[in-house]
Amino acid sequence: MNVFFFIANAVPETCPADLGEKCGEDGEWEGEFFPGIPEIKYEGPSSKKPLAYKWYNAEEVILGKKMKDWLRFSVAFWHTFRGTGGDPFGAPTKSWPWEDGTNSIDMAKRRMRANFEFLNKLGVDRWCFHDRDIAPDGKTLEETNSNLDEVVALAKELQGDKIRPLWGTAQLFMHPRYMHGAATSSELGVYAYAAAQVKKAMEVTHYLGGENYVFWGGREGYQTLLNTDMERELDHLASFLEAAVAYKKKIGFNGTLLIEPKPQEPTKHQYDWDAATTLNFLRKYGLLGEFKLNIECNHATLSGHSCHHDIETARINGLLGNIDANTGDPQVGWDTDQFMTDIGEATMVMLSVIKNGGLAPGGFNFDAKLRRESTDVEDLFISHIGGMDTLARGLRNAAKLIEDGSLAELVRKRYSSFDTELGHQIEAGKADFEMLEKIAMEWGEPKVASAKQELAEMIFQSAL
Ligand code: XUL
Ligand code: CO
């Protein structure tokens, strides 16, 4: 997510004057938030309707599992209900009919109702939130917590039996107190405040039946090493995460703790740079086993990898916990958080997810936002439908490739020289250099086979 563009705090109101006829006496929104938008149904690839699924058929079984269970989609509250379209050069462009321009509790509750109508119409059972997306700050931490409790109580009621948070998280990057970071701030008071905020965010995630809890190190990084004690900051981050593990156990929260890597933005260098860097951090501090990773595609590309690379790095280390499904722009160098539309990219992602046996209890969270220029309410639906269909298509294509088997066979053949007695000895760590030198001399110049890259690409393309 690009973190700069939230509605500014303003004088609290309930219902604005020009929305008067939609507001009841208590200021609650009456009627539908999305009138004219039906429940979105699967119509198949020949459908031309924007408000229909062409590839995502929730109940259809692919490789032994329903599509909805492979994909476990989630809507990101911050983009869909707090995104304004503002950018560093321009004012907000979106004026959703239910917004009154305030950050009041009444507004927070109305937005929450819009969120659940949206989820129900989309047929999505999961949502993700930051504490501060869903409820406004108060004058004190106590007041802020009580605001949060009030909105969370409504969310719990609206969730019913079906909808749950895929994950919750604490927003530890917007408020000026976090300008030096949260767990890695040079200020002890800020470390303590952040701990209190995470404690509360974990409690409400648990209360709402959340399946995971995310740590994205928004400002856990540095701008220059000239003024930074990197070793001490990383030690602090590890202590913070250890305390989170202890608290999770104390309150009986069984959800997975996830770290979300990102290389930079907003800091110049973030400590959780990419999957491999985060893995090394967890290993160094003895935290492996307590955390998994939430891989965000646009973060992976910012770190110079493909999304698929970071997902595979997480997967082969047993750490693939969740995917923040979005994509970047090949010409733009920042976190543009676009909905995924590239079928090839989605197919690569789904190949890994299938190899992982799915993502549960994680899923695909649409950490993606409308373009600044997309300003119709229906665009909120169209963007999610497009993102869901892209991944559904990726799943179908990946299943085709797996069922066909030629790509797997190409890879198997490529390494088949290791499917021998000596290969097994090497892989078991039982071949020393003297022994290998003897064999190299005996065998002479080795024969080296083609990598067959173009053939692999041809097979891949044939499934798209
Ligand atoms: C930031 C980002 C965040 C995290 C949650 O780029 O992706 O929204 O997903 O804090
Ligand atoms: Co994210």
Side-chain angles (χ1 to χ4, degrees):
M1 148 191 154
N2 189 309
V3 293
F4 306 116
F5 317 125
F6 282 75
I7 293 175
N9 287 12
V11 187
E13 289 178 37
T14 49
C15 256
D18 61 341
L19 297 181
E21 80 277 8
K22 296 237 174 170
C23 296
E25 276 177 14
D26 54 359
E28 286 280 326
W29 183 270
E30 293 184 339
E32 282 181 84
F33 290 85
F34 306 102
I37 307 246
E39 277 183 25
I40 311 300
K41 297 262 184 292
Y42 173 70
E43 291 194 359
S46 60
S47 171
K48 296 271 179 287
K49 269 200 218 149
L51 296 176
Y53 295 119
K54 286 112 201 137
W55 303 93
Y56 178 61
N57 188 11
E59 299 294 327
E60 188 179 329
V61 174
I62 307 258
L63 296 178
K65 218 194 283 245
K66 289 184 178 174
M67 288 185 101
K68 66 176 187 191
D69 297 328
W70 279 119
L71 294 164
R72 295 172 56 84
F73 290 128
S74 158
V75 168
F77 192 93
W78 55 97
H79 284 308
T80 303
F81 292 99
R82 303 310 304 273
T84 67
D87 73 12
F89 304 94
T93 56
K94 313 209 195 296
S95 51
W96 306 134
W98 55 88
E99 287 289 338
D100 64 11
T102 73
N103 195 16
S104 65
I105 292 252
D106 283 336
M107 190 56 247
K109 289 188 183 168
R110 206 179 313 145
R111 243 180 242 128
M112 196 53 83
R113 291 188 187 280
N115 176 45
F116 282 97
E117 188 183 316
F118 186 73
L119 288 165
N120 280 311
K121 287 194 163 166
L122 215 49
V124 166
D125 296 342
R126 294 176 184 81
W127 63 299
C128 290
F129 64 96
H130 299 84
D131 48 2
R132 299 297 176 263
D133 309 331
I134 61 172
D137 273 314
K139 287 192 195 71
T140 60
L141 185 55
E142 288 86 343
E143 202 181 301
T144 304
N145 285 349
S146 108
N147 289 349
L148 186 56
D149 285 337
E150 200 175 326
V151 181
V152 162
L154 175 67
K156 173 105 169 163
E157 185 192 315
L158 297 172
Q159 281 191 156
D161 302 332
K162 211 172 72 187
I163 301 179
R164 293 285 176 271
L166 178 64
W167 49 262
T169 188
Q171 190 199 79
L172 302 175
F173 43 88
M174 293 263 296
H175 194 280
R177 79 173 70 85
Y178 294 122
M179 68 180 176
H180 305 302
T184 64
S185 172
S186 42
E187 300 292 337
L188 175 77
V190 173
Y191 182 101
Y193 201 104
Q197 207 180 313
V198 169
K199 173 179 176 288
K200 182 71 184 173
M202 287 177 95
E203 287 164 11
V204 302
T205 303
H206 183 36
Y207 174 73
L208 289 170
E211 295 175 276
N212 306 271
Y213 183 88
V214 161
F215 294 86
W216 169 59
R219 292 185 193 273
E220 314 295 19
Y222 62 81
Q223 303 294 7
T224 170
L225 285 176
L226 290 173
N227 66 3
T228 302
D229 187 338
M230 180 158 71
E231 188 175 19
R232 202 162 182 191
E233 290 200 0
L234 283 163
D235 288 350
H236 291 174
L237 182 57
S239 303
F240 193 91
L241 294 176
E242 271 163 26
V245 171
Y247 194 64
K248 163 193 157 158
K249 292 181 180 160
K250 182 158 190 193
I251 61 174
F253 175 54
N254 293 324
T256 310
L257 300 181
L258 298 164
I259 299 187
E260 181 178 327
K262 184 175 183 181
Q264 68 277 126
E265 196 201 285
T267 68
K268 169 195 158 68
H269 180 107
Q270 295 195 189
Y271 292 131
D272 302 323
W273 183 274
D274 62 358
T277 311
T278 310
L279 169 63
N280 182 55
F281 169 86
L282 292 173
R283 209 190 297 279
K284 172 175 175 187
Y285 291 100
L287 289 166
L288 275 177
E290 302 291 359
F291 288 85
K292 287 194 169 186
L293 302 182
N294 176 26
I295 302 299
E296 179 163 327
C297 291
N298 204 167
H299 295 179
T301 50
L302 284 179
S303 69
H305 303 304
S306 63
C307 179
H308 189 223
H309 169 92
D310 248 27
I311 289 177
E312 277 295 278
T313 303
R315 183 186 73 78
I316 63 178
N317 287 287
L319 290 180
L320 180 56
N322 193 81
I323 295 177
D324 266 10
N326 63 13
T327 199
D329 182 287
Q331 274 96 51
V332 177
W334 63 84
D335 195 11
T336 57
D337 283 339
Q338 289 164 236
F339 283 85
M340 212 183 246
T341 53
D342 183 324
I343 296 154
E345 186 177 28
T347 304
M348 294 290 261
V349 165
M350 290 313 304
L351 277 171
S352 289
V353 170
I354 292 171
K355 281 189 192 155
N356 202 55
L359 290 171
F364 283 97
N365 169 46
F366 286 111
D367 196 349
K369 64 180 178 214
L370 289 181
R371 298 305 84 199
R372 174 175 166 77
E373 303 80 7
S374 300
T375 52
D376 291 343
V377 167
E378 72 158 14
D379 295 334
L380 289 170
F381 281 88
I382 292 172
S383 57
H384 283 82
I385 294 168
M388 289 163 78
D389 267 346
T390 302
L391 281 159
R393 220 168 154 177
L395 171 61
R396 291 175 185 278
N397 294 342
K400 266 194 253 168
L401 286 166
I402 288 167
E403 275 163 352
D404 166 76
S406 3
L407 205 51
E409 179 55 15
L410 183 149
V411 177
R412 193 202 60 74
K413 254 169 101 182
R414 190 161 179 231
Y415 296 89
S416 59
S417 64
F418 281 85
D419 299 332
T420 53
E421 207 189 318
L422 177 61
H424 293 146
Q425 261 177 295
I426 291 172
E427 289 181 347
K430 290 193 177 126
D432 61 38
F433 274 10
E434 282 97 340
M435 165 190 178
L436 291 167
E437 182 190 49
K438 200 163 151 262
I439 287 167
M441 287 181 173
E442 207 178 290
W443 287 0
E445 191 57 35
K447 281 208 199 100
V448 178
S450 164
K452 304 304 256 186
Q453 180 173 333
E454 295 76 7
L455 178 59
E457 285 162 352
M458 192 181 279
I459 297 170
F460 183 75
Q461 293 295 329
S462 71
L464 302 190

